[in-house]
Amino acid sequence: MKQANFHSIIFRTKRIFAHWVVNLLGPTDQFVMRHRILNGTLFAGLIAMAVGLGSEFFREGFEVGGLLALWAAFAFTILFYYLSRVKRYFEILILPTFVISSLTACLQIKYSGGIVSANVMLLAPILVLNMLILGKKWDSFAIVFFVVLLFAINMVQESNPSWFSDYSSVKARSEDFLITAVSILLLLGLMLRTLNRSYEDAITEVSRLKYQQDGDYYLTSLLTRPLSGIRNRSKTIKFSSYIKQKKSFQFKNREYELGGDICVTDQIVLRGRSYCVFANGDAMGKSMQGAGGVLVFGTAFRALIERTHRDGILSHYFPERWLHSALDDLNNVFEGFDGSMSMSLVLGLVDEKTGYMYYINAEHPYPIRYRDGKAQFLSEQVTNFKLGMQKDRARIETCWIRPGDTIILGSDGRDDLEIGFDETKNRVINFDHTSILKQVEETKAEIEDLGKRLQTIGELTDDLSFLSIQFVQIPENRSKMNSQKFEGIIKILKENRDLEALEYLEKEIITENENPLLWKLLYQVYRKLGRYAQAGQACETFSILHPSGLQMIWNGVIQYTKAGKIAEAIEMAERIYSRKPEVIPVLKILIKLYKKSKQLERVDEYENALQRLYS
């Protein structure tokens, strides 16, 4: 029982003391370090002056002239403390506090008999206090002022000793020394307590804010986590990702990362064919701002994939049109931020059966292809703007991914490495964008090793991410048609026995519908027989099976146009234009086709594009 009462008394005492300190120094919710130091300094000055006044009064009574000055300083100190504590005028009180503390020290020295040790004891803590109050800008001024003041006092003592009180007895000098020492020790103790309490409150406040900030970071990281990652389960297209965000933090004794880089993959079906869709993006800003961009992009990307799965219109697009539509949708989302948020990006599709890749580079670092131990950029042309800044129609790049190839996409963190310091101690940033090729070769395109290797070469100055793509060809049943059969069909065609060739090809195409050569022969037969719509369809199917053949796509445009299928002809022509926007014949036929379909806005758009090419 007694022990419980004892702990209760201690607890109440601590609460009263803490409440007193808060009232003395000022509340932490409006925390200003200089404000609290000034409050503590003025309070310490009040006590020190009270001790000095008591000493002078009991020893000399009211006969000492310096007593009036001390009383004046004491009154001003009370006034300043009231104003800084209650009225919060502490900014304008800093200079008067400095002046009065200095003058008070000089008066105390004058009537203390000019003891050198007492002078040092009095001036040293006042110097420290004024340095804390005045701030970093005036440190040198305060030091010089008090050092000059100390030497000046000593010189005046030697030249005019009559200006100082004369304590002839050793006892008087000892008493004065003792009282001065007690006053200074008390002042130093209060000063240190003030600083200690201020720093404790500062650390507590910073720790609280840091914990709250880390909690916000943690919640944001929870939101971004499901929006990224490898989602496809393709047997032929293999993806792997590596992300090292610049911002790392601890929350509940676990390490987390937060940043603006994202790697995401998924699967969609276009025109009955399976594609892997991928994206490697770098949102503007770092930590929370970058993570905000990832949230926006990841949500829009997820909605786009779901809409493709459910919407019959999007699933009937060609890969080129789907990419354009996806980029436009994502760009419209970022445009809503009016330039305050943007994102560099590589967005693409890979045909699961052929390994043919379509991609758009929106101001992202160049994709890298690692083949046979050599690394090189796929393309060094960045013709598209970032998300949120798209102006012109994006250009689509294409390439074949052979078995054994590795395509690596990466953010600009791979290049922006801090590799040391120059002679002037300024940090040196790597500006050689080709140096990554050597690192890819040395790590054999293993992106986990690549990411770790870059961090040993230099310090990351930005978020770092890699996404690798590989094509694994699955053995299929080979074509049952041998070379003799093909030669026989070609011979029939040369002899102009078109109907006989058509009958044979249509029979074979039932079991050989994945053979692009058969579709090419069918196109030739249909074209000779004047079956333009069927010829266009054969070109279209061939272009899906062998997408790099732009000539067959062009043939499809011609055949559909002859058949009067304007919409289909436009679709095929747009596929060529999206890859080769500088081809003038394609632009001309698009203008004619859009005129026939009465889409005058598109006519104006392509006429302007044609005019730019001519100029």
Side-chain angles (χ1 to χ4, degrees), residues 25 30-39 42 79-98 132-134:
L25 302 179
Q30 297 180 355
F31 172 78
V32 179
M33 179 67 78
R34 292 174 71 193
H35 188 178
R36 304 192 75 191
I37 292 174
L38 183 64
N39 286 339
L42 292 172
L79 175 63
F80 287 172
Y81 180 77
Y82 170 78
L83 292 175
S84 65
R85 179 68 184 83
V86 181
K87 300 297 184 181
R88 304 191 187 283
Y89 295 147
F90 69 98
E91 290 289 349
I92 62 174
L93 298 176
I94 292 175
L95 184 59
T97 303
F98 176 78
L132 292 172
I133 295 172
L134 291 172

Side-chain angles (χ1 to χ4, degrees), residues 502 519 522-541 552-566 568-569 572:
L502 178 60
W519 287 104
L522 267 175
Y523 153 72
Q524 294 177 1
V525 174
Y526 286 137
R527 181 177 58 82
K528 285 185 177 181
L529 295 175
R531 302 182 184 181
Y532 303 123
Q534 291 173 300
Q537 182 63 49
C539 291
E540 181 180 310
T541 306
M552 284 297 287
I553 300 178
W554 176 252
N555 293 338
V557 175
I558 302 300
Q559 299 307 311
Y560 275 137
T561 303
K562 289 180 179 180
K565 292 194 170 186
I566 304 303
E568 289 81 354
M572 297 290 278

Side-chain angles (χ1 to χ4, degrees), residues 21-54:
V21 170
V22 169
N23 288 331
L24 170 65
L25 302 179
T28 57
D29 57 344
Q30 297 180 355
F31 172 78
V32 179
M33 179 67 78
R34 292 174 71 193
H35 188 178
R36 304 192 75 191
I37 292 174
L38 183 64
N39 286 339
T41 302
L42 292 172
F43 188 79
L46 283 174
I47 296 178
M49 288 181 180
V51 173
L53 285 170

